[in-house]
C-alpha cells in the first residue's frame, strides 16, 4: 500500500524504522575482520509477523534509537491528579523523584507523565490514542522527551541548552498543526534533526536533541525543539553549525517552508533559537538565531 505521508515525514518514519533494523542486525561481534555474516533468510522470516504484514497480531517490534516519554499538562490537570485527560487510554504514571525533578519543583507539579515507548509500533499505538493538538484546550502542552530527561530547564540534559521554536497563528494553522506536530515527533524519534557524526567527540558525540513540545495558547500554537547545548552568542563553531542545521531541518524538511521564506507577522514568529538561560530572563537582551 502506498504511504500517504509526505516525503519529509515518510523519510523520518523510514529513518526510525531503518535505525531500528540496523540496530537489530548489529550482532556481528564474533566475526573476523572482513567476514560477512550469513543469514538464513527463510529461517529468519518464518514466524515473524511485522506490523506491516499483520497489524493486529504482529510479534516483532522495531526498536527506536532511544526510548521516549510523553508528558502532558493542561488547565484541567493543574493542581490535581488527573482522572480524565485527553490521553484517556493512558492513565497518568508516577514521576520518578530525581534531583532534576526536585530542582524543577513547582514547574513540574502540573506536568503529568503519560507513557514511555521504545518502538515504532508503540509510538503509533500511542499516537492513534491521543487527542491531536488542534483539539486540546487552551494552555495545554504535549512534551515528548528522551526517557530520563524531564521537560524542564533544570534537567542536567537541558540546563546548558536552548530551543528552536516557531509560533503559528491559530486561525491560519488549525488545519496544519496536527501534521506539523506529527512530523516533528517523527523527526525526533527517527533522530533526523541531529544525526550524530561518527567522528564527534565529547559533548558533541551525543545527539543534541532532548525533546520536542507543542503548546496551545489562546491565539497561537508553538512547536519547539529542545537541544542539550546552546552556542555562545558570537562563536562560529561546530556547535553553532549543528544547531543551525537542526533549525534548517525543522523549517524546511519538517514544517515544509522554503529556505529564504520569512514567516514573522501578527502572532507569528520566524523559526528562531533561544538559549534556556535567555528564556529564563524572558528574552531580555537575548540574541536569537533565525533560519
Ligand atoms: P512557557 O509556557 O514555556 O511560555 O513558560 P509561554 O507559553 O510564553 O507562557 P504562558 O504563560 O502563556 O504559558 C511560561 C513560564 O513558565 C515561564 O516564563 C517560566 O516562568 C515558567 N517555565 C517555563 N519553562 C519551560 C520552565 C522550566 O523549564 N522550568 C521552570 N522552573 N519554569 C519554567
Amino acid at each position: 500500500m502506498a504511504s500517504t505521508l509526505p516525503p519529509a515525514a515518510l523519510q523520518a518514519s523510514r529513518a526510525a524504522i531503518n535505525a531500528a533494523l540496523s540496530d537489530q542486525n548489529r550482532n556481528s561481534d564474533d566475526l573476523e575482520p572482513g567476514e560477512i555474516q550469513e543469514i538464513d533468510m527463510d529461517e529468519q522470516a518464518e514466524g515473524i509477523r511485522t506490523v506491516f504484514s499483520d497489524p493486529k497480531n504482529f510479534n516483532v517490534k522495531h526498536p527506536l534509537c532511544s526510548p521516549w516519554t510523553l508528558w502532558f499538562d493542561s488547565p484541567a490537570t493543574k493542581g490535581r491528579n488527573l482522572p480524565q485527560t485527553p490521553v484517556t487510554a493512558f492513565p497518568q504514571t508516577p514521576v520518578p523523584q530525581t534531583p532534576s525533578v526536585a530542582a524543577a519543583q513547582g514547574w513540574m507539579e502540573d506536568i503529568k507523565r503519560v507513557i514511555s515507548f521504545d518502538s515504532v509500533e508503540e509510538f503509533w499505538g500511542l499516537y492513534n490514542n491521543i487527542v491531536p493538538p488542534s483539539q486540546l484546550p487552551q494552555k495545554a502542552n504535549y512534551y515528548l522527551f528522551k526517557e530520563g530527561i524531564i521537560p524542564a530547564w533544570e534537567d542536567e540534559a537541558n540546563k546548558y541548552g536552548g530551543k528552536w521554536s516557531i509560533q503559528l497563528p491559530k486561525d491560519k494553522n488549525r488545519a496544519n498543526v496536527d501534521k506539523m506536530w506529527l512530523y516533528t515527533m517523527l523527526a525526533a524519534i527517527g533522530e533526523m534533526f541531529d544525526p550524530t557524526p561518527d567522528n564527534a567527540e565529547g559533548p558533541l558525540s551525543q545527539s543534541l536533541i532532548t525533546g520536542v513540545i507543542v503548546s496551545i495558547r489562546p491565539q497561537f500554537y508553538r512547536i519547539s525543539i529542545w537541544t542539550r547545548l546552546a552556542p555562545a552568542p558570537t562563536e562560529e563553531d561546530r556547535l553553532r553549525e549543528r544547531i543551525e542545521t537542526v533549525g534548517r531541518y525543522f523549517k524546511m524538511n519538517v514544517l515544509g517552508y522554503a529556505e529564504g521564506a520569512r514567516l514573522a507577522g501578527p502572532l507569528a514568529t520566524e523559526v528562531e533559537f533561544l538559549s534556556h538561560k535567555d528564556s529564563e530572563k524572558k528574552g531580555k537582551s537575548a540574541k536569537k538565531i533565525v533560519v
Side-chain angles (χ1 to χ4, degrees), residues 96-153:
Q97 281 307 303
T98 61
S100 301
V101 173
Q105 205 94 64
W107 169 247
M108 286 304 293
E109 240 156 53
D110 297 322
I111 302 181
K112 311 299 178 193
R113 184 173 176 276
V114 179
I115 201 167
S116 295
F117 58 89
D118 62 4
S119 70
V120 174
E121 287 77 2
E122 286 166 326
F123 167 75
W124 286 114
L126 171 64
Y127 179 77
N128 289 331
N129 281 287
I130 59 174
V131 171
S134 62
Q135 287 170 40
L136 284 180
Q138 285 180 18
K139 298 195 176 172
N141 305 276
Y142 278 136
Y143 311 80
L144 181 65
F145 273 68
K146 287 196 173 146
E147 192 175 55
I149 302 177
I150 61 166
W153 302 323

Side-chain angles (χ1 to χ4, degrees), residues 154-198:
E154 289 83 352
D155 194 287
E156 282 300 310
N158 293 321
K159 68 179 185 192
Y160 305 109
K163 66 167 192 276
W164 280 106
S165 66
I166 183 168
Q167 197 172 292
L168 302 150
K170 247 183 172 170
D171 51 356
K172 291 197 193 116
N173 290 284
R174 235 174 270 276
N176 306 337
V177 67
D178 295 340
K179 278 190 182 167
M180 285 174 164
W181 173 236
L182 170 61
Y183 304 160
T184 303
M185 290 191 292
L186 286 173
I189 66 172
E191 300 290 349
M192 301 298 287
F193 283 119
D194 182 47
T196 11
D198 293 339

Side-chain angles (χ1 to χ4, degrees), residues 224-245:
S224 315
I225 319 294
W226 280 30
T227 60
R228 269 173 212 282
L229 299 170
T234 51
E235 243 159 272
E236 292 294 329
D237 56 5
R238 183 75 195 99
L239 173 59
R240 174 174 285 259
E241 235 175 74
R242 265 191 43 197
I243 291 284
E244 288 184 1
T245 305

Side-chain angles (χ1 to χ4, degrees), residues 8 200 230 249:
Y249 191 87

Side-chain angles (χ1 to χ4, degrees), residues 14-28 62-63 65:
R14 281 203 181 124
I17 293 169
N18 285 341
L21 290 175
S22 67
D23 234 34
Q24 279 191 332
N25 291 337
R26 227 178 273 148
N27 235 343
S28 49
H62 300 96
C65 295

